[in-house]
Amino acid sequence: MTINKIVVRNRLTMAPTVKFDFAGADAFVSEKHIQHYKERAEHGCGLICVEATAVTPGGRFGRNHMGLWSDEFIEGHAQIAKVCHDAGAPVIIQLNHAGRDSAPDLGEQIAPSAVPTRDENVLAEGDPVEITKH
């Protein structure tokens, strides 16, 4: 099967599932991440969608949320892509910002509107800052 110019060997797609216990507080790709995605590619996934990956340090769900907000992160993500490609699976990534559910200890909480979270498991401190211009 071909999607645009990408050949996908089958319709089995790995959905993005966050592995909060794999990344450290630095948010870099770990060896656990690389092995996790490599195993899924080797065992037949036609397309791999890498987990929700934070686009800003303050947009993470927590300290152990994998990131991609500067060039420093490219090498780790390239390693994931390489092991998956070597096993025959193309890779896409789910870019993410936690918005009002971001961890308040990681920076200012911003969101599309200043509506507080309804998630009792999130330790939000007040309302997030509404995005008006960026």
Side-chain angles (χ1 to χ4, degrees), residues 3-81:
I3 301 172
N4 200 358
K5 296 179 182 178
I6 307 294
V7 176
V8 180
R9 63 181 163 202
N10 60 48
R11 294 176 186 209
L12 183 62
T13 300
M14 179 184 167
T17 53
V18 178
K19 298 297 187 188
F20 287 119
D21 57 337
F22 285 9
D26 61 6
F28 281 92
V29 169
S30 70
E31 187 60 35
K32 285 182 180 181
H33 283 113
I34 296 166
Q35 289 305 312
H36 172 74
Y37 291 108
K38 178 182 178 184
E39 288 171 9
R40 273 67 193 168
E42 288 176 340
H43 289 100
C45 282
L47 176 66
I48 306 280
C49 185
V50 174
E51 65 195 76
T53 303
V55 295
T56 67
R60 295 182 281 168
F61 289 111
R63 291 209 175 277
N64 297 336
H65 186 178
M66 189 164 64
L68 183 57
W69 57 78
S70 74
D71 289 351
E72 297 173 311
F73 293 92
I74 293 173
E75 182 180 339
H77 288 278
Q79 289 178 34
I80 291 174

Side-chain angles (χ1 to χ4, degrees), residues 101 116-124:
D101 291 331
T117 184
R118 293 174 294 201
D119 186 344
E120 295 174 5
N121 297 316
V122 175
L123 302 174

